[in-house]
Amino acid sequence: MQYKRLGHSDLEISRIGFGCMSLKAGNADTQQLLQQAVEAGINFFDTADLYEKGLNEERVGEALRPFRNMIILATKVGNQWREDGSGWDWNPRKEYILAAVDKSLARLKTDYIDLYQLHGGTIEDRADETIEAFEILKDQGKIRYYGISSIRPNVIRTYLQKSHITSVMMQYSLLDRRPEEEMLNLLKESGVGVLVRGTVAGGLLIDKEPVNYLQHSAETVKKAAAAMREVSTNGRHPVQSSICYALMHQAVTSAVVGIRTREQLEEALATIESPSLNEDEFRHLQSVVPLIRYQEHR
């Protein structure tokens, strides 16, 4: 496994992170799967209090408890489930964050969270209040670092200007090149680590039937998948090529891959052993899929 420091923190995280959202209830192999990931060198595990109304945190916390001193545990806050369970509401308020962290700590069976992330964000939020909550939690020792999960340029800029965020998690793939327009370079210059998700575009870059995706037509999606197959040589599967694409930019610290089976774990791990994309392959992929501009939240 390869490791890279996350932003200005002292967290050395695996280039392949384990996205725990895909882990489902009733899967008896979850504990074994997470253990195998640790044994293979993955040390970054990402969940959220939103997933399965906290049950995901419970499952991850129980499975990883024997390895707590070997791993970097990340979770998210900001989406508050309604009491009737009918859905959730956005809540980045200080009081909510300070209360929610204790529930996450209990579910994760730990007394500290390595990376606590705001699970979204809007420009209308009282960012100063949210940042104050994170800073309080750092002072209390309940979290080591904090970041945000957002692709919105105006939200990211706000936190870069006002806070000490360590990381930004964002969707990034050949079919979603929006971060390339400005944010990746800005975050690199700011010394903030980037965690990318959605690197296979929900399977559209691998084997799913082409459909319209973001501002791309199904025909463009089809061409993107074909191009990904074209560059998948020397034993590199399109899964690995897709992840390699997202890891190419120097701003990117880790690709957080959604994993729920042993096969998916092995496919993700094989990225590290696979040859990286060369410059010609990278440019060829970019030539097939146009760069789209994030229209809102500028």
Side-chain angles (χ1 to χ4, degrees), residues 38 48 148 229 253 298:
V38 174
I148 62 172
R229 289 192 296 271
T253 307
R298 304 294 306 184

Side-chain angles (χ1 to χ4, degrees), residues 13 20 53 56 68 70 104 108 112 121 149 168 182 189 224 276:
I13 75 172
C20 298
K53 302 178 181 178
N56 193 273
R68 184 64 187 97
M70 301 168 56
S104 285
L108 291 167
Y112 69 95
S149 177
V168 174
E182 178 185 1
E189 293 167 5
S276 300

Side-chain angles (χ1 to χ4, degrees), residues 16-23 33 37 42 257-262 264-266 268-269:
I16 302 296
F18 196 120
C20 298
M21 184 178 71
S22 298
L23 298 173
L33 186 65
I42 292 179
V257 182
I259 297 170
R260 66 173 181 277
T261 68
R262 177 61 186 268
Q264 290 173 341
L265 173 61
E266 291 176 348
L269 288 169

Side-chain angles (χ1 to χ4, degrees), residues 45-81:
F45 296 84
D46 177 77
T47 180
D49 59 2
L50 177 68
Y51 305 156
E52 301 174 88
K53 302 178 181 178
L55 292 178
N56 193 273
E57 284 185 327
E58 288 186 8
R59 195 174 304 115
V60 170
E62 180 62 34
L64 292 177
R65 182 160 52 170
F67 314 103
R68 184 64 187 97
N69 64 345
M70 301 168 56
I71 65 167
I72 294 166
L73 199 52
T75 191
K76 309 182 198 74
V77 67
N79 293 293
Q80 182 177 15
W81 279 99

Side-chain angles (χ1 to χ4, degrees), residues 31 59 84 90 103 110 136 184 197-198 204 216 239 270:
Q31 186 162 351
R59 195 174 304 115
D84 62 5
W90 178 238
K103 296 177 181 178
T110 184
I136 289 172
L184 289 179
R197 58 179 178 81
L204 290 173
H216 299 306
V239 170

Side-chain angles (χ1 to χ4, degrees), residues 7-289:
H8 50 68
S9 76
D10 63 358
L11 302 176
E12 295 283 342
I13 75 172
S14 49
R15 293 283 272 161
I16 302 296
F18 196 120
C20 298
M21 184 178 71
S22 298
L23 298 173
K24 298 302 180 185
N27 185 352
D29 298 329
T30 291
Q31 186 162 351
Q32 184 180 13
L33 186 65
L34 289 167
Q35 179 178 340
Q36 289 167 343
V38 174
E39 292 172 348
I42 292 179
N43 73 348
F44 184 77
F45 296 84
D46 177 77
T47 180
D49 59 2
L50 177 68
Y51 305 156
E52 301 174 88
K53 302 178 181 178
L55 292 178
N56 193 273
E57 284 185 327
E58 288 186 8
R59 195 174 304 115
V60 170
E62 180 62 34
L64 292 177
R65 182 160 52 170
F67 314 103
R68 184 64 187 97
N69 64 345
M70 301 168 56
I71 65 167
I72 294 166
L73 199 52
T75 191
K76 309 182 198 74
V77 67
N79 293 293
Q80 182 177 15
W81 279 99
R82 301 180 193 125
E83 291 187 7
D84 62 5
S86 63
W88 62 85
D89 299 303
W90 178 238
N91 190 348
R93 300 295 300 274
K94 173 183 172 182
E95 292 79 7
Y96 175 66
I97 293 172
L98 295 179
V101 71
D102 290 328
K103 296 177 181 178
S104 285
L105 287 167
R107 288 191 290 260
L108 291 167
K109 298 173 178 60
T110 184
D111 55 6
Y112 69 95
I113 293 165
D114 295 291
L115 180 66
Y116 204 35
Q117 303 158 100
L118 185 67
H119 203 173
T122 74
I123 200 64
E124 289 79 24
D125 296 342
R126 298 177 182 175
D128 291 338
E129 180 180 329
T130 302
I131 294 164
E132 182 183 2
F134 283 128
E135 291 291 345
I136 289 172
L137 294 178
K138 279 185 66 177
D139 291 341
Q140 293 175 341
K142 292 181 179 181
I143 67 173
R144 295 179 66 192
Y145 300 98
Y146 65 93
I148 62 172
S149 177
S150 178
I151 196 173
R152 294 179 171 180
N154 55 8
V155 173
I156 293 172
R157 288 194 200 94
T158 295
Y159 278 84
L160 288 178
Q161 293 166 4
K162 294 188 173 185
S163 77
H164 299 99
I165 56 170
T166 293
S167 63
V168 174
M169 178 176 281
M170 56 175 59
Q171 180 170 291
Y172 178 46
S173 72
L174 177 61
L175 283 171
D176 189 356
R177 295 177 56 201
R178 291 175 296 179
E180 293 178 9
E181 180 201 353
E182 178 185 1
M183 287 297 107
L184 289 179
N185 287 337
L186 177 61
L187 291 166
K188 178 69 171 64
E189 293 167 5
S190 302
V192 173
V194 177
L195 304 167
V196 295
R197 58 179 178 81
T199 53
V200 298
L204 290 173
L205 288 170
I206 311 303
D207 53 13
K208 281 195 174 180
E209 189 71 21
V211 295
N212 295 342
Y213 184 79
L214 299 177
Q215 298 169 36
H216 299 306
S217 67
E219 183 60 28
T220 297
V221 171
K222 182 179 180 179
K223 291 179 179 177
M228 198 61 75
R229 289 192 296 271
E230 288 174 21
V231 302
S232 297
T233 57
N234 299 322
R236 188 177 62 214
H237 187 274
V239 170
Q240 288 105 48
S241 296
S242 298
I243 297 173
C244 282
Y245 179 89
L247 289 174
M248 283 285 284
H249 199 286
Q250 290 186 347
V252 177
T253 307
S254 178
V256 182
V257 182
I259 297 170
R260 66 173 181 277
T261 68
R262 177 61 186 268
E263 180 182 13
Q264 290 173 341
L265 173 61
E266 291 176 348
E267 287 176 342
L269 288 169
T271 305
I272 301 302
E273 304 301 326
S274 300
S276 300
L277 295 175
N278 61 43
E279 195 65 25
D280 288 342
E281 292 170 330
F282 185 70
R283 296 304 174 196
H284 171 62
L285 291 173
Q286 289 187 320
S287 71
V288 173
V289 182

